[in-house]
Amino acid sequence: EMVAFGYGQSDNLPVTCVRLATLYGPFGRATLPVALFMGKVLRGESIQLTWDGSQTRDQNWVGNACDGIIAALTAEGVEGEAINLGSGREVSVGALVGLCSQLAAQAYESAVGHPLAGISKVVNLPPRFGEEGRLFLDNGKAARLLGYAPAMDLAEGLRRTAAWMVQRHLQG
C-alpha cells in the first residue's frame, strides 16, 4: 500500500487500495481453503486441519469482492484510502470444513444420483508457526465510503461453489 501511495503521490495519480478477505467461488485457486476442502472431499482424501479448528477466518464470495472493487474504482473522494472488503462474517475453520464437506457431498449426490463412495476424515495437526487465531476484515470504512454490503452469504456462496466444483470433478 505504501509503495502504491508513494507512486501515486510522486506521479500525481489517484490511488485507492483494497484489502481482500480470502476469496472463494467458481474458478477459485485450488490451494485456498474452500476449494481445497471441497476438492479433498470429492477425491476422498483426508483434510489436514491445523490447531483444533477454532481459529476464525473471513471467507468472501468473489462476486462480493468484485462489487467492492468496482465501487472503489468509481467512488468519488476515496483517493489515498485503504479499504477492507470482507464478507462481514467470521467462520471457524472447523465449521468451514464441516460446511464444505456437507455441501460438496450433497452437490455430488444431486449430480450423480448416489452418495460419495467415502467420507473424508479430518486430521488435526499442530499450529503452523505464526498462524493467527483470528483473521477478520472490518467493512465499516467500505460501507461508509462505498456503500459496500456483501450480497452473497456464506451458505449460498458455498452451495454455488460446491455445484461448480462437482461439475469440474465429473469432467475429470
Side-chain angles (χ1 to χ4, degrees):
E1 290 171 359
M2 296 312 295
V3 170
F5 290 139
Y7 276 114
Q9 190 173 33
S10 69
D11 293 338
N12 198 28
L13 298 170
V15 174
T16 303
C17 291
V18 295
R19 299 175 185 138
L20 302 176
T22 304
L23 300 178
Y24 71 93
F27 298 98
R29 222 171 62 208
T31 57
L32 292 177
V34 169
L36 180 71
F37 299 154
M38 287 186 180
K40 286 183 176 287
V41 168
L42 294 172
R43 292 186 303 274
E45 298 172 2
S46 63
I47 297 171
Q48 295 182 336
L49 184 61
T50 58
W51 284 12
D52 61 358
S54 64
Q55 67 273 33
T56 61
R57 299 293 182 259
D58 189 341
Q59 303 289 320
N60 199 11
W61 173 255
V62 66
N64 291 339
C66 290
D67 291 344
I69 291 167
I70 290 167
L73 287 168
T74 58
E76 297 289 325
V78 296
E79 293 82 17
E81 297 287 348
I83 303 170
N84 294 336
L85 299 175
S87 68
R89 177 180 172 197
E90 285 179 271
V91 61
S92 74
V93 176
L96 185 64
V97 166
L99 284 167
C100 288
S101 298
Q102 175 189 1
L103 294 170
Q106 287 173 351
Y108 182 88
E109 187 169 352
S110 176
V112 300
H114 60 80
L116 283 166
I119 306 281
S120 294
K121 80 175 191 182
V122 176
V123 177
N124 287 87
L125 302 173
R128 292 182 297 242
F129 179 75
E131 184 173 4
E132 294 290 331
R134 180 179 190 232
L135 294 174
F136 176 69
L137 298 181
D138 179 349
N139 290 333
K141 186 189 273 188
R144 281 191 319 278
L145 297 179
L146 309 176
Y148 175 74
M152 180 68 68
D153 69 17
L154 182 66
E156 180 59 25
L158 290 176
R159 269 192 286 282
R160 291 183 187 190
T161 303
W164 180 84
M165 288 196 67
V166 164
Q167 291 307 311
R168 294 285 297 227
H169 175 76
L170 294 174
Q171 293 170 359

